[in-house]
mmCIF file of all heavy atoms in Angstrom:
data_model
loop_
_atom_site.group_PDB
_atom_site.id
_atom_site.type_symbol
_atom_site.label_atom_id
_atom_site.label_comp_id
_atom_site.label_asym_id
_atom_site.label_seq_id
_atom_site.Cartn_x
_atom_site.Cartn_y
_atom_site.Cartn_z
ATOM 1 N N VAL A 215 80.470 -157.509 26.999
ATOM 2 C CA VAL A 215 79.361 -157.509 27.939
ATOM 3 C C VAL A 215 79.229 -156.075 28.400
ATOM 4 O O VAL A 215 80.211 -155.470 28.829
ATOM 5 C CB VAL A 215 79.665 -158.404 29.157
ATOM 6 C CG1 VAL A 215 78.531 -158.338 30.155
ATOM 7 C CG2 VAL A 215 79.938 -159.832 28.738
ATOM 8 N N THR A 216 78.036 -155.506 28.305
ATOM 9 C CA THR A 216 77.917 -154.097 28.662
ATOM 10 C C THR A 216 76.561 -153.765 29.270
ATOM 11 O O THR A 216 75.561 -154.380 28.925
ATOM 12 C CB THR A 216 78.160 -153.192 27.434
ATOM 13 O OG1 THR A 216 78.133 -151.836 27.844
ATOM 14 C CG2 THR A 216 77.155 -153.437 26.332
ATOM 15 N N GLY A 217 76.581 -152.801 30.150
ATOM 16 C CA GLY A 217 75.355 -152.243 30.682
ATOM 17 C C GLY A 217 74.984 -150.974 29.954
ATOM 18 O O GLY A 217 73.944 -150.385 30.203
ATOM 19 N N VAL A 218 75.822 -150.561 29.029
ATOM 20 C CA VAL A 218 75.614 -149.342 28.267
ATOM 21 C C VAL A 218 74.586 -149.595 27.170
ATOM 22 O O VAL A 218 74.660 -150.594 26.463
ATOM 23 C CB VAL A 218 76.948 -148.874 27.632
ATOM 24 C CG1 VAL A 218 76.740 -147.677 26.736
ATOM 25 C CG2 VAL A 218 77.964 -148.574 28.713
ATOM 26 N N SER A 219 73.643 -148.690 27.037
ATOM 27 C CA SER A 219 72.637 -148.850 25.974
ATOM 28 C C SER A 219 72.788 -147.778 24.900
ATOM 29 O O SER A 219 71.914 -147.599 24.080
ATOM 30 C CB SER A 219 71.236 -148.800 26.572
ATOM 31 O OG SER A 219 71.019 -147.570 27.223
ATOM 32 N N ASP A 220 73.912 -147.098 24.892
ATOM 33 C CA ASP A 220 74.205 -146.039 23.927
ATOM 34 C C ASP A 220 74.480 -146.674 22.557
ATOM 35 O O ASP A 220 75.472 -147.370 22.368
ATOM 36 C CB ASP A 220 75.423 -145.256 24.420
ATOM 37 C CG ASP A 220 75.803 -144.094 23.519
ATOM 38 O OD1 ASP A 220 75.459 -144.109 22.322
ATOM 39 O OD2 ASP A 220 76.464 -143.177 24.026
ATOM 40 N N THR A 221 73.599 -146.415 21.584
ATOM 41 C CA THR A 221 73.742 -147.052 20.268
ATOM 42 C C THR A 221 75.003 -146.598 19.539
ATOM 43 O O THR A 221 75.569 -147.357 18.761
ATOM 44 C CB THR A 221 72.507 -146.792 19.384
ATOM 45 O OG1 THR A 221 72.279 -145.384 19.302
ATOM 46 C CG2 THR A 221 71.281 -147.476 19.949
ATOM 47 N N VAL A 222 75.466 -145.374 19.782
ATOM 48 C CA VAL A 222 76.705 -144.907 19.143
ATOM 49 C C VAL A 222 77.886 -145.707 19.682
ATOM 50 O O VAL A 222 78.728 -146.182 18.919
ATOM 51 C CB VAL A 222 76.911 -143.388 19.373
ATOM 52 C CG1 VAL A 222 78.259 -142.948 18.854
ATOM 53 C CG2 VAL A 222 75.792 -142.602 18.706
ATOM 54 N N LEU A 223 77.937 -145.891 21.003
ATOM 55 C CA LEU A 223 79.019 -146.673 21.600
ATOM 56 C C LEU A 223 78.957 -148.119 21.131
ATOM 57 O O LEU A 223 79.976 -148.714 20.788
ATOM 58 C CB LEU A 223 78.960 -146.608 23.129
ATOM 59 C CG LEU A 223 80.054 -147.352 23.879
ATOM 60 C CD1 LEU A 223 81.440 -146.825 23.497
ATOM 61 C CD2 LEU A 223 79.840 -147.240 25.380
ATOM 62 N N ILE A 224 77.763 -148.678 21.089
ATOM 63 C CA ILE A 224 77.613 -150.064 20.633
ATOM 64 C C ILE A 224 78.101 -150.219 19.204
ATOM 65 O O ILE A 224 78.748 -151.207 18.863
ATOM 66 C CB ILE A 224 76.150 -150.540 20.801
ATOM 67 C CG1 ILE A 224 75.838 -150.715 22.291
ATOM 68 C CG2 ILE A 224 75.900 -151.829 20.043
ATOM 69 C CD1 ILE A 224 74.397 -150.990 22.616
ATOM 70 N N SER A 225 77.861 -149.237 18.344
ATOM 71 C CA SER A 225 78.333 -149.321 16.960
ATOM 72 C C SER A 225 79.854 -149.299 16.902
ATOM 73 O O SER A 225 80.454 -149.849 15.977
ATOM 74 C CB SER A 225 77.749 -148.202 16.106
ATOM 75 O OG SER A 225 78.296 -146.954 16.480
ATOM 76 N N GLU A 226 80.506 -148.690 17.897
ATOM 77 C CA GLU A 226 81.968 -148.663 17.941
ATOM 78 C C GLU A 226 82.556 -150.046 18.219
ATOM 79 O O GLU A 226 83.694 -150.311 17.852
ATOM 80 C CB GLU A 226 82.457 -147.691 19.021
ATOM 81 C CG GLU A 226 82.293 -146.239 18.653
ATOM 82 C CD GLU A 226 82.844 -145.333 19.738
ATOM 83 O OE1 GLU A 226 83.857 -145.709 20.373
ATOM 84 O OE2 GLU A 226 82.263 -144.275 19.956
ATOM 85 N N PHE A 227 81.780 -150.915 18.881
ATOM 86 C CA PHE A 227 82.298 -152.239 19.217
ATOM 87 C C PHE A 227 82.812 -152.947 17.965
ATOM 88 O O PHE A 227 83.904 -153.497 17.947
ATOM 89 C CB PHE A 227 81.238 -153.112 19.880
ATOM 90 C CG PHE A 227 80.713 -152.612 21.193
ATOM 91 C CD1 PHE A 227 79.556 -153.147 21.714
ATOM 92 C CD2 PHE A 227 81.344 -151.603 21.913
ATOM 93 C CE1 PHE A 227 79.046 -152.701 22.929
ATOM 94 C CE2 PHE A 227 80.837 -151.148 23.120
ATOM 95 C CZ PHE A 227 79.684 -151.706 23.629
ATOM 96 N N GLY A 228 81.990 -152.955 16.904
ATOM 97 C CA GLY A 228 82.387 -153.613 15.662
ATOM 98 C C GLY A 228 83.586 -152.958 15.017
ATOM 99 O O GLY A 228 84.454 -153.629 14.472
ATOM 100 N N ASN A 229 83.664 -151.649 15.097
ATOM 101 C CA ASN A 229 84.805 -150.924 14.521
ATOM 102 C C ASN A 229 86.094 -151.232 15.256
ATOM 103 O O ASN A 229 87.176 -151.106 14.706
ATOM 104 C CB ASN A 229 84.550 -149.414 14.569
ATOM 105 C CG ASN A 229 83.373 -148.993 13.727
ATOM 106 O OD1 ASN A 229 82.977 -149.688 12.803
ATOM 107 N ND2 ASN A 229 82.783 -147.856 14.056
ATOM 108 N N ASP A 230 85.981 -151.605 16.523
ATOM 109 C CA ASP A 230 87.164 -151.873 17.329
ATOM 110 C C ASP A 230 87.545 -153.350 17.363
ATOM 111 O O ASP A 230 88.376 -153.750 18.173
ATOM 112 C CB ASP A 230 86.950 -151.361 18.759
ATOM 113 C CG ASP A 230 86.940 -149.842 18.814
ATOM 114 O OD1 ASP A 230 87.604 -149.219 17.966
ATOM 115 O OD2 ASP A 230 86.271 -149.292 19.696
ATOM 116 N N GLY A 231 86.924 -154.172 16.550
ATOM 117 C CA GLY A 231 87.321 -155.568 16.469
ATOM 118 C C GLY A 231 86.474 -156.511 17.289
ATOM 119 O O GLY A 231 86.763 -157.695 17.371
ATOM 120 N N CYS A 232 85.422 -156.009 17.888
ATOM 121 C CA CYS A 232 84.533 -156.854 18.670
ATOM 122 C C CYS A 232 83.560 -157.550 17.723
ATOM 123 O O CYS A 232 83.005 -156.934 16.826
ATOM 124 C CB CYS A 232 83.788 -155.997 19.680
ATOM 125 S SG CYS A 232 82.541 -156.917 20.568
ATOM 126 N N MET A 233 83.340 -158.835 17.961
ATOM 127 C CA MET A 233 82.505 -159.615 17.065
ATOM 128 C C MET A 233 81.034 -159.662 17.503
ATOM 129 O O MET A 233 80.190 -160.126 16.767
ATOM 130 C CB MET A 233 83.048 -161.034 16.952
ATOM 131 C CG MET A 233 84.501 -161.093 16.513
ATOM 132 S SD MET A 233 84.815 -160.319 14.922
ATOM 133 C CE MET A 233 84.088 -161.521 13.848
ATOM 134 N N GLY A 234 80.744 -159.215 18.722
ATOM 135 C CA GLY A 234 79.370 -159.239 19.204
ATOM 136 C C GLY A 234 79.302 -158.719 20.619
ATOM 137 O O GLY A 234 80.325 -158.443 21.241
ATOM 138 N N TYR A 235 78.083 -158.558 21.107
ATOM 139 C CA TYR A 235 77.914 -158.056 22.458
ATOM 140 C C TYR A 235 76.632 -158.602 23.061
ATOM 141 O O TYR A 235 75.742 -159.081 22.360
ATOM 142 C CB TYR A 235 77.902 -156.526 22.485
ATOM 143 C CG TYR A 235 76.655 -155.920 21.899
ATOM 144 C CD1 TYR A 235 75.597 -155.547 22.722
ATOM 145 C CD2 TYR A 235 76.537 -155.709 20.528
ATOM 146 C CE1 TYR A 235 74.445 -155.005 22.194
ATOM 147 C CE2 TYR A 235 75.396 -155.160 19.991
ATOM 148 C CZ TYR A 235 74.349 -154.812 20.829
ATOM 149 O OH TYR A 235 73.213 -154.280 20.297
ATOM 150 N N ILE A 236 76.557 -158.511 24.390
ATOM 151 C CA ILE A 236 75.353 -158.852 25.131
ATOM 152 C C ILE A 236 75.172 -157.765 26.185
ATOM 153 O O ILE A 236 76.147 -157.353 26.820
ATOM 154 C CB ILE A 236 75.413 -160.269 25.744
ATOM 155 C CG1 ILE A 236 74.078 -160.653 26.381
ATOM 156 C CG2 ILE A 236 76.573 -160.395 26.715
ATOM 157 C CD1 ILE A 236 73.979 -162.138 26.745
ATOM 158 N N GLN A 237 73.949 -157.282 26.316
ATOM 159 C CA GLN A 237 73.679 -156.210 27.267
ATOM 160 C C GLN A 237 73.244 -156.771 28.610
ATOM 161 O O GLN A 237 72.451 -157.710 28.680
ATOM 162 C CB GLN A 237 72.602 -155.275 26.734
ATOM 163 C CG GLN A 237 73.153 -154.273 25.747
ATOM 164 C CD GLN A 237 72.153 -153.205 25.402
ATOM 165 O OE1 GLN A 237 71.294 -153.432 24.580
ATOM 166 N NE2 GLN A 237 72.281 -152.058 26.045
ATOM 167 N N LYS A 238 73.799 -156.183 29.685
ATOM 168 C CA LYS A 238 73.382 -156.511 31.041
ATOM 169 C C LYS A 238 72.047 -155.822 31.300
ATOM 170 O O LYS A 238 71.823 -154.739 30.777
ATOM 171 C CB LYS A 238 74.397 -155.992 32.057
ATOM 172 C CG LYS A 238 75.755 -156.625 31.989
ATOM 173 C CD LYS A 238 76.655 -155.932 33.006
ATOM 174 C CE LYS A 238 78.093 -156.400 32.930
ATOM 175 N NZ LYS A 238 78.962 -155.658 33.848
ATOM 176 N N PRO A 239 71.171 -156.353 32.086
ATOM 177 C CA PRO A 239 71.250 -157.684 32.702
ATOM 178 C C PRO A 239 70.775 -158.750 31.717
ATOM 179 O O PRO A 239 70.008 -158.474 30.801
ATOM 180 C CB PRO A 239 70.292 -157.570 33.886
ATOM 181 C CG PRO A 239 69.256 -156.592 33.430
ATOM 182 C CD PRO A 239 69.980 -155.630 32.524
ATOM 183 N N PHE A 240 71.245 -159.949 31.899
ATOM 184 C CA PHE A 240 70.825 -161.082 31.075
ATOM 185 C C PHE A 240 70.818 -162.325 31.948
ATOM 186 O O PHE A 240 71.382 -162.336 33.036
ATOM 187 C CB PHE A 240 71.743 -161.272 29.859
ATOM 188 C CG PHE A 240 73.199 -161.331 30.223
ATOM 189 C CD1 PHE A 240 73.776 -162.499 30.688
ATOM 190 C CD2 PHE A 240 74.005 -160.206 30.109
ATOM 191 C CE1 PHE A 240 75.112 -162.541 31.030
ATOM 192 C CE2 PHE A 240 75.338 -160.236 30.447
ATOM 193 C CZ PHE A 240 75.902 -161.418 30.909
ATOM 194 N N GLN A 241 70.219 -163.361 31.427
ATOM 195 C CA GLN A 241 70.159 -164.634 32.149
ATOM 196 C C GLN A 241 71.343 -165.502 31.735
ATOM 197 O O GLN A 241 71.789 -165.436 30.578
ATOM 198 C CB GLN A 241 68.839 -165.361 31.845
ATOM 199 C CG GLN A 241 67.611 -164.613 32.339
ATOM 200 C CD GLN A 241 67.633 -164.444 33.842
ATOM 201 O OE1 GLN A 241 67.842 -165.393 34.593
ATOM 202 N NE2 GLN A 241 67.429 -163.208 34.297
ATOM 203 N N PRO A 242 71.859 -166.334 32.643
ATOM 204 C CA PRO A 242 73.002 -167.189 32.298
ATOM 205 C C PRO A 242 72.816 -167.997 31.008
ATOM 206 O O PRO A 242 73.748 -168.082 30.212
ATOM 207 C CB PRO A 242 73.161 -168.087 33.525
ATOM 208 C CG PRO A 242 72.656 -167.239 34.653
ATOM 209 C CD PRO A 242 71.503 -166.466 34.060
ATOM 210 N N PRO A 243 71.625 -168.585 30.741
ATOM 211 C CA PRO A 243 71.477 -169.319 29.480
ATOM 212 C C PRO A 243 71.700 -168.451 28.237
ATOM 213 O O PRO A 243 72.172 -168.938 27.210
ATOM 214 C CB PRO A 243 70.040 -169.854 29.523
ATOM 215 C CG PRO A 243 69.708 -169.910 30.976
ATOM 216 C CD PRO A 243 70.431 -168.741 31.592
ATOM 217 N N ASP A 244 71.363 -167.155 28.341
ATOM 218 C CA ASP A 244 71.594 -166.248 27.208
ATOM 219 C C ASP A 244 73.086 -166.087 26.942
ATOM 220 O O ASP A 244 73.532 -166.106 25.796
ATOM 221 C CB ASP A 244 70.965 -164.875 27.471
ATOM 222 C CG ASP A 244 69.449 -164.940 27.615
ATOM 223 O OD1 ASP A 244 68.824 -165.839 27.009
ATOM 224 O OD2 ASP A 244 68.897 -164.091 28.336
ATOM 225 N N LEU A 245 73.859 -165.920 28.021
ATOM 226 C CA LEU A 245 75.319 -165.793 27.882
ATOM 227 C C LEU A 245 75.925 -167.077 27.333
ATOM 228 O O LEU A 245 76.719 -167.044 26.391
ATOM 229 C CB LEU A 245 75.949 -165.444 29.231
ATOM 230 C CG LEU A 245 77.481 -165.359 29.243
ATOM 231 C CD1 LEU A 245 77.960 -164.232 28.342
ATOM 232 C CD2 LEU A 245 77.984 -165.175 30.666
ATOM 233 N N ILE A 246 75.526 -168.200 27.890
ATOM 234 C CA ILE A 246 76.070 -169.484 27.448
ATOM 235 C C ILE A 246 75.728 -169.739 25.979
ATOM 236 O O ILE A 246 76.574 -170.192 25.210
ATOM 237 C CB ILE A 246 75.548 -170.624 28.353
ATOM 238 C CG1 ILE A 246 76.146 -170.457 29.760
ATOM 239 C CG2 ILE A 246 75.883 -171.995 27.773
ATOM 240 C CD1 ILE A 246 75.441 -171.275 30.821
ATOM 241 N N GLY A 247 74.512 -169.421 25.591
ATOM 242 C CA GLY A 247 74.109 -169.604 24.192
ATOM 243 C C GLY A 247 74.914 -168.724 23.254
ATOM 244 O O GLY A 247 75.379 -169.188 22.199
ATOM 245 N N LEU A 248 75.086 -167.459 23.611
ATOM 246 C CA LEU A 248 75.856 -166.538 22.772
ATOM 247 C C LEU A 248 77.308 -167.004 22.649
ATOM 248 O O LEU A 248 77.864 -167.049 21.549
ATOM 249 C CB LEU A 248 75.809 -165.125 23.333
ATOM 250 C CG LEU A 248 76.640 -164.083 22.585
ATOM 251 C CD1 LEU A 248 76.076 -163.863 21.182
ATOM 252 C CD2 LEU A 248 76.681 -162.771 23.361
ATOM 253 N N VAL A 249 77.918 -167.363 23.765
ATOM 254 C CA VAL A 249 79.313 -167.820 23.744
ATOM 255 C C VAL A 249 79.438 -169.084 22.891
ATOM 256 O O VAL A 249 80.343 -169.184 22.059
ATOM 257 C CB VAL A 249 79.832 -168.055 25.181
ATOM 258 C CG1 VAL A 249 81.141 -168.838 25.179
ATOM 259 C CG2 VAL A 249 79.995 -166.728 25.913
ATOM 260 N N GLY A 250 78.534 -170.022 23.056
ATOM 261 C CA GLY A 250 78.585 -171.259 22.262
ATOM 262 C C GLY A 250 78.460 -171.003 20.775
ATOM 263 O O GLY A 250 79.229 -171.536 19.971
ATOM 264 N N ARG A 251 77.495 -170.175 20.391
ATOM 265 C CA ARG A 251 77.312 -169.846 18.961
ATOM 266 C C ARG A 251 78.534 -169.115 18.411
ATOM 267 O O ARG A 251 79.002 -169.402 17.312
ATOM 268 C CB ARG A 251 76.057 -168.994 18.755
ATOM 269 C CG ARG A 251 74.761 -169.746 18.932
ATOM 270 C CD ARG A 251 73.544 -168.922 18.544
ATOM 271 N NE ARG A 251 73.421 -167.666 19.275
ATOM 272 C CZ ARG A 251 72.864 -167.524 20.469
ATOM 273 N NH1 ARG A 251 72.390 -168.589 21.097
ATOM 274 N NH2 ARG A 251 72.783 -166.333 21.045
ATOM 275 N N PHE A 252 79.064 -168.201 19.180
ATOM 276 C CA PHE A 252 80.220 -167.425 18.743
ATOM 277 C C PHE A 252 81.439 -168.324 18.554
ATOM 278 O O PHE A 252 82.144 -168.208 17.551
ATOM 279 C CB PHE A 252 80.512 -166.321 19.760
ATOM 280 C CG PHE A 252 81.671 -165.467 19.364
ATOM 281 C CD1 PHE A 252 81.529 -164.497 18.390
ATOM 282 C CD2 PHE A 252 82.907 -165.638 19.956
ATOM 283 C CE1 PHE A 252 82.605 -163.704 18.007
ATOM 284 C CE2 PHE A 252 83.981 -164.849 19.588
ATOM 285 C CZ PHE A 252 83.830 -163.885 18.613
ATOM 286 N N LEU A 253 81.693 -169.209 19.511
ATOM 287 C CA LEU A 253 82.858 -170.097 19.389
ATOM 288 C C LEU A 253 82.708 -171.054 18.219
ATOM 289 O O LEU A 253 83.682 -171.348 17.526
ATOM 290 C CB LEU A 253 83.099 -170.846 20.699
ATOM 291 C CG LEU A 253 83.645 -169.985 21.835
ATOM 292 C CD1 LEU A 253 83.647 -170.759 23.146
ATOM 293 C CD2 LEU A 253 85.038 -169.469 21.510
ATOM 294 N N GLN A 254 81.490 -171.531 17.959
ATOM 295 C CA GLN A 254 81.263 -172.382 16.781
ATOM 296 C C GLN A 254 81.541 -171.596 15.509
ATOM 297 O O GLN A 254 82.159 -172.101 14.572
ATOM 298 C CB GLN A 254 79.827 -172.903 16.745
ATOM 299 C CG GLN A 254 79.581 -174.037 17.700
ATOM 300 C CD GLN A 254 78.148 -174.544 17.616
ATOM 301 O OE1 GLN A 254 77.225 -173.800 17.258
ATOM 302 N NE2 GLN A 254 77.964 -175.797 17.946
ATOM 303 N N GLN A 255 81.091 -170.362 15.459
ATOM 304 C CA GLN A 255 81.305 -169.510 14.279
ATOM 305 C C GLN A 255 82.798 -169.273 14.066
ATOM 306 O O GLN A 255 83.279 -169.364 12.930
ATOM 307 C CB GLN A 255 80.594 -168.181 14.469
ATOM 308 C CG GLN A 255 80.827 -167.200 13.345
ATOM 309 C CD GLN A 255 80.203 -165.836 13.633
ATOM 310 O OE1 GLN A 255 79.330 -165.698 14.490
ATOM 311 N NE2 GLN A 255 80.667 -164.825 12.928
ATOM 312 N N THR A 256 83.541 -168.966 15.115
ATOM 313 C CA THR A 256 84.970 -168.702 14.947
ATOM 314 C C THR A 256 85.717 -169.956 14.542
ATOM 315 O O THR A 256 86.673 -169.878 13.784
ATOM 316 C CB THR A 256 85.594 -168.082 16.219
ATOM 317 O OG1 THR A 256 85.387 -168.945 17.331
ATOM 318 C CG2 THR A 256 85.030 -166.709 16.502
ATOM 319 N N GLU A 257 85.274 -171.127 15.022
ATOM 320 C CA GLU A 257 85.922 -172.375 14.604
ATOM 321 C C GLU A 257 85.709 -172.622 13.118
ATOM 322 O O GLU A 257 86.611 -173.051 12.412
ATOM 323 C CB GLU A 257 85.346 -173.556 15.390
ATOM 324 C CG GLU A 257 85.891 -173.659 16.791
ATOM 325 C CD GLU A 257 85.266 -174.811 17.558
ATOM 326 O OE1 GLU A 257 84.374 -175.514 17.022
ATOM 327 O OE2 GLU A 257 85.665 -175.005 18.712
ATOM 328 N N LYS A 258 84.498 -172.355 12.625
ATOM 329 C CA LYS A 258 84.206 -172.542 11.192
ATOM 330 C C LYS A 258 85.057 -171.602 10.351
ATOM 331 O O LYS A 258 85.525 -171.984 9.296
ATOM 332 C CB LYS A 258 82.718 -172.323 10.918
ATOM 333 C CG LYS A 258 81.849 -173.440 11.432
ATOM 334 C CD LYS A 258 80.391 -173.166 11.169
ATOM 335 C CE LYS A 258 79.539 -174.286 11.760
ATOM 336 N NZ LYS A 258 78.122 -174.013 11.619
ATOM 337 N N GLU A 259 85.239 -170.361 10.814
ATOM 338 C CA GLU A 259 86.053 -169.398 10.062
ATOM 339 C C GLU A 259 87.502 -169.839 10.003
ATOM 340 O O GLU A 259 88.159 -169.654 8.990
ATOM 341 C CB GLU A 259 85.935 -168.018 10.697
ATOM 342 C CG GLU A 259 84.578 -167.391 10.486
ATOM 343 C CD GLU A 259 84.381 -166.108 11.271
ATOM 344 O OE1 GLU A 259 85.311 -165.659 11.953
ATOM 345 O OE2 GLU A 259 83.265 -165.553 11.196
ATOM 346 N N VAL A 260 88.008 -170.445 11.068
ATOM 347 C CA VAL A 260 89.390 -170.928 11.089
ATOM 348 C C VAL A 260 89.564 -172.083 10.135
ATOM 349 O O VAL A 260 90.587 -172.223 9.484
ATOM 350 C CB VAL A 260 89.791 -171.323 12.534
ATOM 351 C CG1 VAL A 260 91.115 -172.065 12.542
ATOM 352 C CG2 VAL A 260 89.859 -170.103 13.418
ATOM 353 N N GLU A 261 88.532 -172.940 9.996
ATOM 354 C CA GLU A 261 88.601 -174.105 9.118
ATOM 355 C C GLU A 261 88.637 -173.722 7.651
ATOM 356 O O GLU A 261 89.140 -174.452 6.828
ATOM 357 C CB GLU A 261 87.407 -175.024 9.374
ATOM 358 C CG GLU A 261 87.464 -175.723 10.714
ATOM 359 C CD GLU A 261 86.191 -176.506 11.005
ATOM 360 O OE1 GLU A 261 85.298 -176.546 10.137
ATOM 361 O OE2 GLU A 261 86.104 -177.089 12.095
#
């Protein structure tokens, strides 16, 4: 979760093991949707 809009820094997220990001400010449904999709994706990868 970040308030930073620096595209170079954002590109580092993936290099450092981060699977995704959401920029502040956002609405709660956006966060819940992203978390839900991400957890479903990680469960499928484990299977």
Side-chain angles (χ1 to χ4, degrees):
V215 177
T216 185
V218 175
S219 60
D220 182 337
T221 54
V222 173
L223 182 59
I224 289 172
S225 70
E226 286 182 35
F227 298 165
N229 296 338
D230 290 331
C232 174
M233 304 301 287
Y235 71 96
I236 186 168
Q237 279 190 279
K238 295 176 186 176
F240 52 81
Q241 296 299 310
D244 297 331
L245 177 64
I246 292 165
L248 177 66
V249 166
R251 288 188 303 276
F252 181 77
L253 288 171
Q254 283 181 333
Q255 176 186 341
T256 57
E257 282 178 358
K258 288 179 183 176
E259 289 172 2
V260 169
E261 290 174 3

